[in-house]
Amino acid sequence: NVKGINEPIKRGTVLAHLKSLKTDIIFLQESQLKKEVQHRSKAKWIAKTYHSSFTHKSRGVAILIRKGIPFKHISTIEDIDGRYIVLVGELYSKQVTLLNVYGPNFDSPLFFKRIFNTIPECTQYNLIIGGDLNKRH
């Protein structure tokens, strides 16, 4: 949860830290990026970025894929409220579905039911789920 990366200094700090982790696929939550500036989340070491935005003051999720990672994009499902993004593709020639979630900070079974009804049939795919579920006990 990056709590907004619209400001250039913060965005640079976050991206530098992520690069130092040498992570291949990164799931960001609460990116708060406006659609017109989403390209700013890309850096020289990032090959592809996929976003689901809401407003510049709240929500937003992104999936960043490092250069050199053999990901072949097939389709994207974006939540209009900026709460999740689903990527379907091939990773190392294996079919995968990537799901990045930024859950509401209150109990919302309907939200999670909606997400799982949105995910494509995964009997032939590997499903990778990440994010901030905001689930409280």
Side-chain angles (χ1 to χ4, degrees), residues 8-96:
I9 293 172
K10 182 174 183 183
R11 184 174 49 253
T13 301
V14 168
L15 291 174
H17 176 69
L18 294 171
K19 181 180 180 184
S20 75
L21 297 174
K22 298 182 177 160
T23 306
D24 295 336
I25 299 175
I26 300 163
F27 289 14
L28 300 177
Q29 300 80 42
E30 207 174 350
S31 59
Q32 301 177 6
L33 283 173
K34 299 179 228 174
K35 286 195 181 291
E36 61 270 15
V37 296
Q38 289 177 353
H39 66 280
R40 293 184 186 158
S41 66
K42 195 166 180 185
K44 291 179 182 179
W45 56 275
I46 298 172
K48 292 284 186 179
T49 62
Y50 303 90
H51 299 271
S52 176
S53 297
F54 183 60
T55 70
H56 70 283
K57 296 286 186 185
S58 67
R59 305 181 198 161
V61 292
I63 298 177
L64 313 177
I65 300 178
R66 181 183 284 279
K67 282 186 178 173
I69 301 306
F71 179 76
K72 180 182 172 189
H73 178 254
I74 295 172
S75 66
T76 303
I77 301 168
E78 295 179 36
D79 176 42
I80 61 169
D81 294 326
R83 291 254 180 219
Y84 63 86
I85 188 167
V86 179
L87 288 184
V88 178
E90 291 181 5
L91 181 62
Y92 293 100
S93 301
K94 303 277 186 191
Q95 294 181 329
V96 296

